């Protein structure tokens, strides 16, 4: 009889707190022992020279999500989670979007039909509330929060998603009552419309003007407004995809004031700039980088690093929101070429989030390897009600593990990606540090770039309430 199903030996175990030479013993999909000279395993993995880290948790991805105007996403749950696994992730949290007029529960069930049996990584859902009717807020939301959908996103822009200030306040108040965590997309609707129409009248319709139509002031104003609403209703919020210095400073100001404001930033805000939207040789490939908020400038990269280092940001996500470039549904469709307004907003990135943060953060000396684990895994689990099941390496946690080669150099290229998009916005970027094996609940899902897991290996995660939301909630 073996003591363990699997033992990982010879590696350096890295958690958000510690870096230790240790072996990891796994039984029935869970970590049961971390220590020296563990007994035999039915299977053993030699991790010499590798870091043994908690599998990445990407708490901000979009899969199989319909978008306004109709372009189809390039990833459903199978290809999107395959890409996640290839990039060292074991859990993703995509969104279940409520179209206006539809119920929340009906929307969630639709996403389950897409996801269940198809995912390779474990997954939960955030809700997107676009139609906060009394029955949505009074009945559907509280029961869904109880059932494990414990966070939701609201938008301050987009025709089909924007909420008025009154609605935001009502939604925040409901979140407080039922202990849900609210994620807020902070960009001002009217300012963007005003700028878009002005630019179009002037014939400034190329992808580059997408960024000009929603400058930092638009994001800064909305961030401040969301924070003020959160203060008024006494509810914690998560400001998602913070792109640059000005919104970062709003979050920092609120945190210094003692408000419970959490914040996320994403890969594109330390790796892309507004100049990328100009495209190669000024052709329309700038559309490949259209996402919202848009990438800013190098000063904003520095501000984002400042925010990462000083704890303004708790999570680093991909905001994986994959579209095709070519084809009638792509970013370069005939319609999209008439104006940036019609270019689908979003870029793929779940597969390269960890390598880019590791390379620019740990290898270039901006963050420690323990901070890397916190930003890519542990904090996501803590904030979104998955701790202590996910997010660390210790007895009792799921055996979700990435073996990481800290010295491996890789050039990011479309041909090595597993996502559904026909391009990567990070093409040609060379990174140091790369995942060489991903284990989900003890099963090897990826080895040396080959995904060995199967659709259906990923399970739905019924999440607990966020401890941040519970602290201020009226619920039990
Ligand atoms: N917001 C997101 O979170 N993702 C993509 C586009 C957007 O507006
Ligand atoms: Zn958003
Ligand atoms: Zn997003």
């Amino acid at each position: 009889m073996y003591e363990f199903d699997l033992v990982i030996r010879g590696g350096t175990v890295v958690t958000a707190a510690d870096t230790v030479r240790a072996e990891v013993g796994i039984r029935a999909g869970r970590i049961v022992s971390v220590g020296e000279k563990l007994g035999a395993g039915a299977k053993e993995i030699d991790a010499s020279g590798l870091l043994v880290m908690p599998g990445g948790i990407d708490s901000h991805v979009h899969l199989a999500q319909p978008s306004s105007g109709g372009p189809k996403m390039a990833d459903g749950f199978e290809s999107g989670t395959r890409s996640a696994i290839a990039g060292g992730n074991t859990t993703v949290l995509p969104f279940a979007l409520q179209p206006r007029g539809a119920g929340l529960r009906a929307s969630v069930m639709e996403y389950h039909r897409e996801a269940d049996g198809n995912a390779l990584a474990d997954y939960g859902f955030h809700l997107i509330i676009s139609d906060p009717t009394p029955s949505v807020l009074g009945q559907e939301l509280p029961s869904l929060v109880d059932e494990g959908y414990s966070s939701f996103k609201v938008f301050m822009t987009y025709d089909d998603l924007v909420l008025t200030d009154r609605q935001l306040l009502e939604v925040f108040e409901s979140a407080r009552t039922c202990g849900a965590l609210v994620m807020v997309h902070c960009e001002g609707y009217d300012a963007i419309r005003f700028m878009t129409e002005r630019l179009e009248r002037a014939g400034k319709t190329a992808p580059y003007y997408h960024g000009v139509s929603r400058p930092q002031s638009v994001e800064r104003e909305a961030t401040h407004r969301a924070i003020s609403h959160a203060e008024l209703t006494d509810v914690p919020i998560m400001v998602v995809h913070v792109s640059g210095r000005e919104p970062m400073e709003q979050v920092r100001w609120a945190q210094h004031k003692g408000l419970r404001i959490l914040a996320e930033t994403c890969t594109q805000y330390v790796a892309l700039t507004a100049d990328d939207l100009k495209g190669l040789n000024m052709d329309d490939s700038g559309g490949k980088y259209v996402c919202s908020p848009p990438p800013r400038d190098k000063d904003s990269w520095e501000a984002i690093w400042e925010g990462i280092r000083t704890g303004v940001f708790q999570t680093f996500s991909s905001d994986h929101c994959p579209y095709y470039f070519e084809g009638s549904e792509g970013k370069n469709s005939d319609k999209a070429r008439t104006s940036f307004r019609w270019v689908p907003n979003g870029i793929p990135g779940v597969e390269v989030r960890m390598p880019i943060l590791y390379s620019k953060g740990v290898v270039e000396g901006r963050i420690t390897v323990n901070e890397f684990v916190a930003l890519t895994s542990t904090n996501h689990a803590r904030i979104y009600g998955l701790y202590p099941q996910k997010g660390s390496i210790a007895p009792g946690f799921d055996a979700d593990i990435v073996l990481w080669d800290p010295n491996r150099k890789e050039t990011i290229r479309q041909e090595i990606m597993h996502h559904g998009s026909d391009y990567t916005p990070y093409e040609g970027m060379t990174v140091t540090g790369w995942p060489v094996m991903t284990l989900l609940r003890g099963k090897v899902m990826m080895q040396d770039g080959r995904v060995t897991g199967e659709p259906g290996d990923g399970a739905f995660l019924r999440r607990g309430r966020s401890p941040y939301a519970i602290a201020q909630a009226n619920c039990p």
Side-chain angles (χ1 to χ4, degrees), residues 242-243 265-273 295-298 300-305 308 316 353 356-357 360-361 366 426 429:
V242 174
S243 72
T265 191
C266 308
T267 321
Q268 53 268 40
Y269 306 123
V270 294
L272 302 176
T273 69
R296 307 295 184 187
D297 54 14
K298 296 235 167 121
S300 274
W301 286 12
E302 288 316 309
I304 295 296
W305 285 117
I308 288 174
F316 187 92
R353 170 187 74 126
I356 290 176
L357 183 65
K360 284 180 173 281
R366 295 185 173 98
Y426 306 103
M429 185 180 293

PDB file of all heavy atoms in Angstrom, residues 242-243 265-273 295-298 300-305 308 316 353 356-357 360-361 366 426 429:
ATOM      1  N   VAL A 242      -8.382  48.087 -13.299  1.00  0.00           N
ATOM      2  CA  VAL A 242      -7.853  49.456 -13.166  1.00  0.00           C
ATOM      3  C   VAL A 242      -6.668  49.599 -14.131  1.00  0.00           C
ATOM      4  O   VAL A 242      -5.728  48.807 -14.112  1.00  0.00           O
ATOM      5  CB  VAL A 242      -7.404  49.721 -11.711  1.00  0.00           C
ATOM      6  CG1 VAL A 242      -6.718  51.073 -11.600  1.00  0.00           C
ATOM      7  CG2 VAL A 242      -8.608  49.636 -10.780  1.00  0.00           C
ATOM      8  N   SER A 243      -6.726  50.649 -14.959  1.00  0.00           N
ATOM      9  CA  SER A 243      -5.798  50.686 -16.099  1.00  0.00           C
ATOM     10  C   SER A 243      -4.600  51.616 -15.925  1.00  0.00           C
ATOM     11  O   SER A 243      -3.641  51.509 -16.693  1.00  0.00           O
ATOM     12  CB  SER A 243      -6.562  51.131 -17.345  1.00  0.00           C
ATOM     13  OG  SER A 243      -6.873  52.523 -17.246  1.00  0.00           O
ATOM     14  N   THR A 265      -5.988  44.743 -11.083  1.00  0.00           N
ATOM     15  CA  THR A 265      -5.442  45.204 -12.354  1.00  0.00           C
ATOM     16  C   THR A 265      -5.168  43.986 -13.224  1.00  0.00           C
ATOM     17  O   THR A 265      -5.361  42.848 -12.789  1.00  0.00           O
ATOM     18  CB  THR A 265      -4.197  46.092 -12.159  1.00  0.00           C
ATOM     19  OG1 THR A 265      -3.878  46.716 -13.411  1.00  0.00           O
ATOM     20  CG2 THR A 265      -2.997  45.297 -11.670  1.00  0.00           C
ATOM     21  N   CYS A 266      -4.783  44.227 -14.458  1.00  0.00           N
ATOM     22  CA  CYS A 266      -4.711  43.124 -15.423  1.00  0.00           C
ATOM     23  C   CYS A 266      -3.438  43.217 -16.260  1.00  0.00           C
ATOM     24  O   CYS A 266      -2.803  44.274 -16.357  1.00  0.00           O
ATOM     25  CB  CYS A 266      -5.914  43.149 -16.366  1.00  0.00           C
ATOM     26  SG  CYS A 266      -7.498  43.226 -15.526  1.00  0.00           S
ATOM     27  N   THR A 267      -3.145  42.110 -16.909  1.00  0.00           N
ATOM     28  CA  THR A 267      -1.924  41.965 -17.705  1.00  0.00           C
ATOM     29  C   THR A 267      -1.709  43.123 -18.673  1.00  0.00           C
ATOM     30  O   THR A 267      -0.604  43.655 -18.795  1.00  0.00           O
ATOM     31  CB  THR A 267      -2.018  40.664 -18.536  1.00  0.00           C
ATOM     32  OG1 THR A 267      -2.619  39.650 -17.760  1.00  0.00           O
ATOM     33  CG2 THR A 267      -0.652  40.235 -19.020  1.00  0.00           C
ATOM     34  N   GLN A 268      -2.768  43.522 -19.374  1.00  0.00           N
ATOM     35  CA  GLN A 268      -2.598  44.507 -20.453  1.00  0.00           C
ATOM     36  C   GLN A 268      -2.131  45.858 -19.934  1.00  0.00           C
ATOM     37  O   GLN A 268      -1.577  46.646 -20.686  1.00  0.00           O
ATOM     38  CB  GLN A 268      -3.884  44.658 -21.279  1.00  0.00           C
ATOM     39  CG  GLN A 268      -5.141  44.950 -20.519  1.00  0.00           C
ATOM     40  CD  GLN A 268      -5.885  43.679 -20.153  1.00  0.00           C
ATOM     41  OE1 GLN A 268      -5.276  42.684 -19.777  1.00  0.00           O
ATOM     42  NE2 GLN A 268      -7.206  43.694 -20.231  1.00  0.00           N
ATOM     43  N   TYR A 269      -2.343  46.118 -18.634  1.00  0.00           N
ATOM     44  CA  TYR A 269      -1.997  47.435 -18.111  1.00  0.00           C
ATOM     45  C   TYR A 269      -0.536  47.530 -17.651  1.00  0.00           C
ATOM     46  O   TYR A 269      -0.099  48.589 -17.194  1.00  0.00           O
ATOM     47  CB  TYR A 269      -2.984  47.834 -17.007  1.00  0.00           C
ATOM     48  CG  TYR A 269      -4.413  47.739 -17.526  1.00  0.00           C
ATOM     49  CD1 TYR A 269      -5.358  46.940 -16.906  1.00  0.00           C
ATOM     50  CD2 TYR A 269      -4.776  48.401 -18.699  1.00  0.00           C
ATOM     51  CE1 TYR A 269      -6.645  46.823 -17.424  1.00  0.00           C
ATOM     52  CE2 TYR A 269      -6.054  48.281 -19.225  1.00  0.00           C
ATOM     53  CZ  TYR A 269      -6.981  47.487 -18.580  1.00  0.00           C
ATOM     54  OH  TYR A 269      -8.241  47.358 -19.111  1.00  0.00           O
ATOM     55  N   VAL A 270       0.187  46.407 -17.778  1.00  0.00           N
ATOM     56  CA  VAL A 270       1.649  46.494 -17.601  1.00  0.00           C
ATOM     57  C   VAL A 270       2.381  45.979 -18.836  1.00  0.00           C
ATOM     58  O   VAL A 270       3.617  45.885 -18.836  1.00  0.00           O
ATOM     59  CB  VAL A 270       2.138  45.695 -16.355  1.00  0.00           C
ATOM     60  CG1 VAL A 270       1.614  46.322 -15.074  1.00  0.00           C
ATOM     61  CG2 VAL A 270       1.761  44.230 -16.441  1.00  0.00           C
ATOM     62  N   ALA A 271       1.632  45.640 -19.878  1.00  0.00           N
ATOM     63  CA  ALA A 271       2.301  45.038 -21.043  1.00  0.00           C
ATOM     64  C   ALA A 271       1.943  45.695 -22.381  1.00  0.00           C
ATOM     65  O   ALA A 271       2.640  45.491 -23.366  1.00  0.00           O
ATOM     66  CB  ALA A 271       1.974  43.545 -21.102  1.00  0.00           C
ATOM     67  N   LEU A 272       0.848  46.450 -22.441  1.00  0.00           N
ATOM     68  CA  LEU A 272       0.444  47.101 -23.697  1.00  0.00           C
ATOM     69  C   LEU A 272       0.303  48.595 -23.428  1.00  0.00           C
ATOM     70  O   LEU A 272       0.103  49.012 -22.298  1.00  0.00           O
ATOM     71  CB  LEU A 272      -0.901  46.544 -24.176  1.00  0.00           C
ATOM     72  CG  LEU A 272      -0.993  45.030 -24.428  1.00  0.00           C
ATOM     73  CD1 LEU A 272      -2.428  44.642 -24.804  1.00  0.00           C
ATOM     74  CD2 LEU A 272      -0.019  44.582 -25.515  1.00  0.00           C
ATOM     75  N   THR A 273       0.388  49.381 -24.506  1.00  0.00           N
ATOM     76  CA  THR A 273       0.134  50.822 -24.360  1.00  0.00           C
ATOM     77  C   THR A 273      -0.817  51.276 -25.467  1.00  0.00           C
ATOM     78  O   THR A 273      -1.097  50.534 -26.415  1.00  0.00           O
ATOM     79  CB  THR A 273       1.418  51.674 -24.481  1.00  0.00           C
ATOM     80  OG1 THR A 273       1.876  51.608 -25.839  1.00  0.00           O
ATOM     81  CG2 THR A 273       2.496  51.237 -23.525  1.00  0.00           C
ATOM     82  N   PRO A 295      -5.511  50.167 -22.852  1.00  0.00           N
ATOM     83  CA  PRO A 295      -4.142  50.315 -22.341  1.00  0.00           C
ATOM     84  C   PRO A 295      -3.726  51.775 -22.405  1.00  0.00           C
ATOM     85  O   PRO A 295      -4.139  52.502 -23.309  1.00  0.00           O
ATOM     86  CB  PRO A 295      -3.298  49.474 -23.304  1.00  0.00           C
ATOM     87  CG  PRO A 295      -4.248  48.632 -24.073  1.00  0.00           C
ATOM     88  CD  PRO A 295      -5.569  49.339 -24.061  1.00  0.00           C
ATOM     89  N   ARG A 296      -2.913  52.215 -21.437  1.00  0.00           N
ATOM     90  CA  ARG A 296      -2.544  53.634 -21.328  1.00  0.00           C
ATOM     91  C   ARG A 296      -1.117  53.870 -21.815  1.00  0.00           C
ATOM     92  O   ARG A 296      -0.796  53.534 -22.932  1.00  0.00           O
ATOM     93  CB  ARG A 296      -2.715  54.086 -19.878  1.00  0.00           C
ATOM     94  CG  ARG A 296      -4.108  53.787 -19.281  1.00  0.00           C
ATOM     95  CD  ARG A 296      -5.201  54.564 -19.959  1.00  0.00           C
ATOM     96  NE  ARG A 296      -6.506  54.346 -19.337  1.00  0.00           N
ATOM     97  CZ  ARG A 296      -7.649  54.799 -19.824  1.00  0.00           C
ATOM     98  NH1 ARG A 296      -7.685  55.475 -20.948  1.00  0.00           N
ATOM     99  NH2 ARG A 296      -8.785  54.563 -19.199  1.00  0.00           N
ATOM    100  N   ASP A 297      -0.255  54.392 -20.924  1.00  0.00           N
ATOM    101  CA  ASP A 297       1.107  54.718 -21.349  1.00  0.00           C
ATOM    102  C   ASP A 297       2.107  54.174 -20.324  1.00  0.00           C
ATOM    103  O   ASP A 297       1.717  53.556 -19.338  1.00  0.00           O
ATOM    104  CB  ASP A 297       1.273  56.238 -21.511  1.00  0.00           C
ATOM    105  CG  ASP A 297       0.869  56.966 -20.233  1.00  0.00           C
ATOM    106  OD1 ASP A 297       0.722  56.309 -19.176  1.00  0.00           O
ATOM    107  OD2 ASP A 297       0.684  58.194 -20.280  1.00  0.00           O
ATOM    108  N   LYS A 298       3.384  54.428 -20.570  1.00  0.00           N
ATOM    109  CA  LYS A 298       4.400  53.809 -19.703  1.00  0.00           C
ATOM    110  C   LYS A 298       4.374  54.404 -18.291  1.00  0.00           C
ATOM    111  O   LYS A 298       4.717  53.728 -17.328  1.00  0.00           O
ATOM    112  CB  LYS A 298       5.783  53.928 -20.336  1.00  0.00           C
ATOM    113  CG  LYS A 298       5.863  53.139 -21.650  1.00  0.00           C
ATOM    114  CD  LYS A 298       7.010  52.147 -21.655  1.00  0.00           C
ATOM    115  CE  LYS A 298       6.830  51.189 -22.819  1.00  0.00           C
ATOM    116  NZ  LYS A 298       7.910  51.156 -23.779  1.00  0.00           N
ATOM    117  N   SER A 300       1.700  55.045 -16.761  1.00  0.00           N
ATOM    118  CA  SER A 300       0.675  54.254 -16.091  1.00  0.00           C
ATOM    119  C   SER A 300       1.188  52.864 -15.721  1.00  0.00           C
ATOM    120  O   SER A 300       0.791  52.308 -14.698  1.00  0.00           O
ATOM    121  CB  SER A 300      -0.582  54.172 -16.954  1.00  0.00           C
ATOM    122  OG  SER A 300      -1.388  55.309 -16.688  1.00  0.00           O
ATOM    123  N   TRP A 301       2.052  52.280 -16.562  1.00  0.00           N
ATOM    124  CA  TRP A 301       2.670  51.011 -16.150  1.00  0.00           C
ATOM    125  C   TRP A 301       3.336  51.189 -14.786  1.00  0.00           C
ATOM    126  O   TRP A 301       3.169  50.354 -13.899  1.00  0.00           O
ATOM    127  CB  TRP A 301       3.764  50.581 -17.132  1.00  0.00           C
ATOM    128  CG  TRP A 301       3.307  50.056 -18.446  1.00  0.00           C
ATOM    129  CD1 TRP A 301       2.053  50.103 -18.984  1.00  0.00           C
ATOM    130  CD2 TRP A 301       4.147  49.398 -19.417  1.00  0.00           C
ATOM    131  NE1 TRP A 301       2.053  49.527 -20.219  1.00  0.00           N
ATOM    132  CE2 TRP A 301       3.325  49.089 -20.520  1.00  0.00           C
ATOM    133  CE3 TRP A 301       5.501  49.056 -19.470  1.00  0.00           C
ATOM    134  CZ2 TRP A 301       3.821  48.443 -21.653  1.00  0.00           C
ATOM    135  CZ3 TRP A 301       5.997  48.412 -20.583  1.00  0.00           C
ATOM    136  CH2 TRP A 301       5.162  48.100 -21.670  1.00  0.00           C
ATOM    137  N   GLU A 302       4.096  52.286 -14.649  1.00  0.00           N
ATOM    138  CA  GLU A 302       4.799  52.512 -13.378  1.00  0.00           C
ATOM    139  C   GLU A 302       3.809  52.677 -12.233  1.00  0.00           C
ATOM    140  O   GLU A 302       4.024  52.187 -11.127  1.00  0.00           O
ATOM    141  CB  GLU A 302       5.719  53.740 -13.470  1.00  0.00           C
ATOM    142  CG  GLU A 302       6.952  53.507 -14.319  1.00  0.00           C
ATOM    143  CD  GLU A 302       7.608  52.148 -14.030  1.00  0.00           C
ATOM    144  OE1 GLU A 302       7.863  51.831 -12.861  1.00  0.00           O
ATOM    145  OE2 GLU A 302       7.847  51.379 -15.000  1.00  0.00           O
ATOM    146  N   ALA A 303       2.706  53.387 -12.505  1.00  0.00           N
ATOM    147  CA  ALA A 303       1.691  53.581 -11.465  1.00  0.00           C
ATOM    148  C   ALA A 303       1.051  52.248 -11.067  1.00  0.00           C
ATOM    149  O   ALA A 303       0.761  52.009  -9.889  1.00  0.00           O
ATOM    150  CB  ALA A 303       0.624  54.549 -11.961  1.00  0.00           C
ATOM    151  N   ILE A 304       0.843  51.400 -12.053  1.00  0.00           N
ATOM    152  CA  ILE A 304       0.254  50.087 -11.746  1.00  0.00           C
ATOM    153  C   ILE A 304       1.236  49.272 -10.894  1.00  0.00           C
ATOM    154  O   ILE A 304       0.844  48.646  -9.901  1.00  0.00           O
ATOM    155  CB  ILE A 304      -0.131  49.334 -13.052  1.00  0.00           C
ATOM    156  CG1 ILE A 304      -1.257  50.079 -13.814  1.00  0.00           C
ATOM    157  CG2 ILE A 304      -0.534  47.891 -12.750  1.00  0.00           C
ATOM    158  CD1 ILE A 304      -2.580  50.181 -13.101  1.00  0.00           C
ATOM    159  N   TRP A 305       2.511  49.314 -11.245  1.00  0.00           N
ATOM    160  CA  TRP A 305       3.497  48.596 -10.405  1.00  0.00           C
ATOM    161  C   TRP A 305       3.535  49.167  -8.994  1.00  0.00           C
ATOM    162  O   TRP A 305       3.635  48.421  -8.012  1.00  0.00           O
ATOM    163  CB  TRP A 305       4.891  48.652 -11.040  1.00  0.00           C
ATOM    164  CG  TRP A 305       5.025  47.734 -12.228  1.00  0.00           C
ATOM    165  CD1 TRP A 305       5.274  48.088 -13.516  1.00  0.00           C
ATOM    166  CD2 TRP A 305       4.907  46.302 -12.225  1.00  0.00           C
ATOM    167  NE1 TRP A 305       5.308  46.972 -14.325  1.00  0.00           N
ATOM    168  CE2 TRP A 305       5.088  45.865 -13.555  1.00  0.00           C
ATOM    169  CE3 TRP A 305       4.654  45.345 -11.240  1.00  0.00           C
ATOM    170  CZ2 TRP A 305       5.029  44.523 -13.919  1.00  0.00           C
ATOM    171  CZ3 TRP A 305       4.598  43.998 -11.602  1.00  0.00           C
ATOM    172  CH2 TRP A 305       4.783  43.600 -12.927  1.00  0.00           C
ATOM    173  N   ILE A 308       0.662  47.766  -7.261  1.00  0.00           N
ATOM    174  CA  ILE A 308       0.868  46.342  -6.957  1.00  0.00           C
ATOM    175  C   ILE A 308       1.790  46.208  -5.743  1.00  0.00           C
ATOM    176  O   ILE A 308       1.511  45.470  -4.796  1.00  0.00           O
ATOM    177  CB  ILE A 308       1.460  45.605  -8.189  1.00  0.00           C
ATOM    178  CG1 ILE A 308       0.394  45.441  -9.288  1.00  0.00           C
ATOM    179  CG2 ILE A 308       2.036  44.252  -7.785  1.00  0.00           C
ATOM    180  CD1 ILE A 308       0.907  44.848 -10.594  1.00  0.00           C
ATOM    181  N   PHE A 316      -4.454  40.237  -9.625  1.00  0.00           N
ATOM    182  CA  PHE A 316      -3.936  40.477 -10.976  1.00  0.00           C
ATOM    183  C   PHE A 316      -4.628  39.440 -11.857  1.00  0.00           C
ATOM    184  O   PHE A 316      -4.432  38.238 -11.688  1.00  0.00           O
ATOM    185  CB  PHE A 316      -2.421  40.287 -10.972  1.00  0.00           C
ATOM    186  CG  PHE A 316      -1.746  40.660 -12.262  1.00  0.00           C
ATOM    187  CD1 PHE A 316      -1.252  41.944 -12.467  1.00  0.00           C
ATOM    188  CD2 PHE A 316      -1.582  39.721 -13.271  1.00  0.00           C
ATOM    189  CE1 PHE A 316      -0.611  42.289 -13.646  1.00  0.00           C
ATOM    190  CE2 PHE A 316      -0.947  40.057 -14.457  1.00  0.00           C
ATOM    191  CZ  PHE A 316      -0.463  41.347 -14.646  1.00  0.00           C
ATOM    192  N   ARG A 353      -1.148  35.341 -18.548  1.00  0.00           N
ATOM    193  CA  ARG A 353      -1.199  36.208 -17.366  1.00  0.00           C
ATOM    194  C   ARG A 353      -0.054  35.881 -16.403  1.00  0.00           C
ATOM    195  O   ARG A 353       0.693  36.770 -15.974  1.00  0.00           O
ATOM    196  CB  ARG A 353      -2.542  35.998 -16.651  1.00  0.00           C
ATOM    197  CG  ARG A 353      -2.630  36.657 -15.292  1.00  0.00           C
ATOM    198  CD  ARG A 353      -3.917  36.271 -14.566  1.00  0.00           C
ATOM    199  NE  ARG A 353      -3.901  34.915 -14.049  1.00  0.00           N
ATOM    200  CZ  ARG A 353      -4.137  34.552 -12.796  1.00  0.00           C
ATOM    201  NH1 ARG A 353      -4.433  35.481 -11.911  1.00  0.00           N
ATOM    202  NH2 ARG A 353      -4.123  33.290 -12.426  1.00  0.00           N
ATOM    203  N   ILE A 356       3.615  36.506 -17.849  1.00  0.00           N
ATOM    204  CA  ILE A 356       3.961  37.928 -17.998  1.00  0.00           C
ATOM    205  C   ILE A 356       4.175  38.561 -16.626  1.00  0.00           C
ATOM    206  O   ILE A 356       5.131  39.308 -16.407  1.00  0.00           O
ATOM    207  CB  ILE A 356       2.892  38.670 -18.837  1.00  0.00           C
ATOM    208  CG1 ILE A 356       2.963  38.206 -20.303  1.00  0.00           C
ATOM    209  CG2 ILE A 356       3.091  40.191 -18.760  1.00  0.00           C
ATOM    210  CD1 ILE A 356       1.896  38.802 -21.222  1.00  0.00           C
ATOM    211  N   LEU A 357       3.328  38.245 -15.657  1.00  0.00           N
ATOM    212  CA  LEU A 357       3.531  38.830 -14.321  1.00  0.00           C
ATOM    213  C   LEU A 357       4.821  38.304 -13.688  1.00  0.00           C
ATOM    214  O   LEU A 357       5.567  39.056 -13.063  1.00  0.00           O
ATOM    215  CB  LEU A 357       2.339  38.563 -13.396  1.00  0.00           C
ATOM    216  CG  LEU A 357       2.500  39.234 -12.021  1.00  0.00           C
ATOM    217  CD1 LEU A 357       2.501  40.757 -12.127  1.00  0.00           C
ATOM    218  CD2 LEU A 357       1.419  38.795 -11.036  1.00  0.00           C
ATOM    219  N   LYS A 360       7.864  40.065 -15.737  1.00  0.00           N
ATOM    220  CA  LYS A 360       8.008  41.510 -15.487  1.00  0.00           C
ATOM    221  C   LYS A 360       8.057  41.808 -13.991  1.00  0.00           C
ATOM    222  O   LYS A 360       8.637  42.805 -13.574  1.00  0.00           O
ATOM    223  CB  LYS A 360       6.833  42.279 -16.108  1.00  0.00           C
ATOM    224  CG  LYS A 360       6.939  42.413 -17.624  1.00  0.00           C
ATOM    225  CD  LYS A 360       5.738  43.176 -18.153  1.00  0.00           C
ATOM    226  CE  LYS A 360       5.872  43.486 -19.628  1.00  0.00           C
ATOM    227  NZ  LYS A 360       6.751  44.631 -19.900  1.00  0.00           N
ATOM    228  N   GLY A 361       7.408  40.967 -13.202  1.00  0.00           N
ATOM    229  CA  GLY A 361       7.328  41.236 -11.768  1.00  0.00           C
ATOM    230  C   GLY A 361       8.469  40.613 -10.986  1.00  0.00           C
ATOM    231  O   GLY A 361       9.286  41.320 -10.392  1.00  0.00           O
ATOM    232  N   ARG A 366      10.479  43.463  -9.365  1.00  0.00           N
ATOM    233  CA  ARG A 366       9.454  44.402  -8.845  1.00  0.00           C
ATOM    234  C   ARG A 366       8.637  43.804  -7.711  1.00  0.00           C
ATOM    235  O   ARG A 366       8.121  44.528  -6.867  1.00  0.00           O
ATOM    236  CB  ARG A 366       8.513  44.817  -9.984  1.00  0.00           C
ATOM    237  CG  ARG A 366       9.204  45.620 -11.067  1.00  0.00           C
ATOM    238  CD  ARG A 366       8.188  46.099 -12.099  1.00  0.00           C
ATOM    239  NE  ARG A 366       8.805  47.003 -13.037  1.00  0.00           N
ATOM    240  CZ  ARG A 366       9.250  46.651 -14.246  1.00  0.00           C
ATOM    241  NH1 ARG A 366       9.148  45.401 -14.656  1.00  0.00           N
ATOM    242  NH2 ARG A 366       9.801  47.545 -15.032  1.00  0.00           N
ATOM    243  N   TYR A 426      -0.053  39.648 -27.378  1.00  0.00           N
ATOM    244  CA  TYR A 426       1.298  39.657 -26.790  1.00  0.00           C
ATOM    245  C   TYR A 426       2.320  38.988 -27.714  1.00  0.00           C
ATOM    246  O   TYR A 426       3.412  38.628 -27.274  1.00  0.00           O
ATOM    247  CB  TYR A 426       1.256  38.972 -25.414  1.00  0.00           C
ATOM    248  CG  TYR A 426       0.212  39.602 -24.506  1.00  0.00           C
ATOM    249  CD1 TYR A 426      -1.017  38.981 -24.276  1.00  0.00           C
ATOM    250  CD2 TYR A 426       0.441  40.844 -23.915  1.00  0.00           C
ATOM    251  CE1 TYR A 426      -1.983  39.575 -23.475  1.00  0.00           C
ATOM    252  CE2 TYR A 426      -0.520  41.445 -23.113  1.00  0.00           C
ATOM    253  CZ  TYR A 426      -1.729  40.807 -22.894  1.00  0.00           C
ATOM    254  OH  TYR A 426      -2.680  41.398 -22.103  1.00  0.00           O
ATOM    255  N   MET A 429       6.433  38.753 -27.500  1.00  0.00           N
ATOM    256  CA  MET A 429       6.982  39.159 -26.194  1.00  0.00           C
ATOM    257  C   MET A 429       7.756  37.974 -25.601  1.00  0.00           C
ATOM    258  O   MET A 429       7.236  36.859 -25.533  1.00  0.00           O
ATOM    259  CB  MET A 429       5.828  39.560 -25.269  1.00  0.00           C
ATOM    260  CG  MET A 429       6.296  40.098 -23.933  1.00  0.00           C
ATOM    261  SD  MET A 429       4.891  40.548 -22.891  1.00  0.00           S
ATOM    262  CE  MET A 429       4.245  41.905 -23.812  1.00  0.00           C
TER     263      MET A 429
END
